[in-house]
Amino acid sequence: QVQLVESGGGLVQAGGSLRLSCAASGRTISNYAMGWFRQTPGKEREFVASISRTGGSTYYADSMKGRITISRDNAKNTVSLQMNSLKPRDTAVYYCAAATAYMSTEMNYFGSWGQGTQVTVSS
């Protein structure tokens, strides 16, 4: 399995931006679709964005579409999530995940997960 470590979370005011990064080790991410998910206490983990193995296809959750961009650098074994115009409801722990598929948006297909990074958006 690939090991994933997220970074870049923090506290930001509403309307601000954050860039989350996910560093992979153990295996090259070029063999994986990559995704970002988020979870708040008491709620199920939910899909945020995903990107295909080559980066040619991306999908976004409707709740964040237009405000986020997922990207990957297979040479550096990293994935990023640029988040703009953040809202208090975006507050959550954000997780990076890898799926042994060309592309997926389904959480069950993602078998490798990072430990998460906290994003807090103040009003």
Side-chain angles (χ1 to χ4, degrees):
Q1 279 190 337
V2 61
Q3 288 78 49
L4 305 171
V5 178
E6 303 94 336
S7 61
L11 174 64
V12 64
Q13 289 188 333
S17 298
L18 281 176
R19 186 176 181 86
L20 305 184
S21 295
C22 175
S25 62
R27 296 189 177 182
T28 174
I29 63 169
S30 61
N31 295 323
Y32 298 85
M34 300 298 296
W36 287 94
F37 294 78
R38 68 183 184 182
Q39 188 170 22
T40 55
K43 294 187 177 181
E44 292 187 354
R45 195 168 296 187
E46 65 177 7
F47 170 77
V48 173
S50 62
I51 188 167
S52 62
R53 289 180 182 176
T54 61
S57 296
T58 56
Y59 283 96
Y60 299 102
D62 288 342
S63 60
M64 299 194 79
K65 194 175 295 182
R67 300 188 292 122
I68 60 173
T69 303
I70 187 171
S71 60
R72 65 189 297 160
D73 187 333
N74 286 348
K76 294 183 178 179
N77 238 23
T78 60
V79 180
S80 297
L81 184 69
Q82 177 67 42
M83 304 190 295
N84 302 320
S85 301
L86 284 164
K87 305 175 182 182
R89 69 184 187 210
D90 296 321
T91 296
V93 177
Y94 285 72
Y95 296 90
C96 176
T100 56
Y102 177 77
M103 181 57 174
S104 182
T105 62
E106 298 296 326
M107 189 168 61
N108 290 339
Y109 283 89
F110 289 83
S112 298
W113 293 83
Q115 83 289 349
T117 185
Q118 176 71 46
V119 171
T120 303
V121 185
S122 64
S123 57

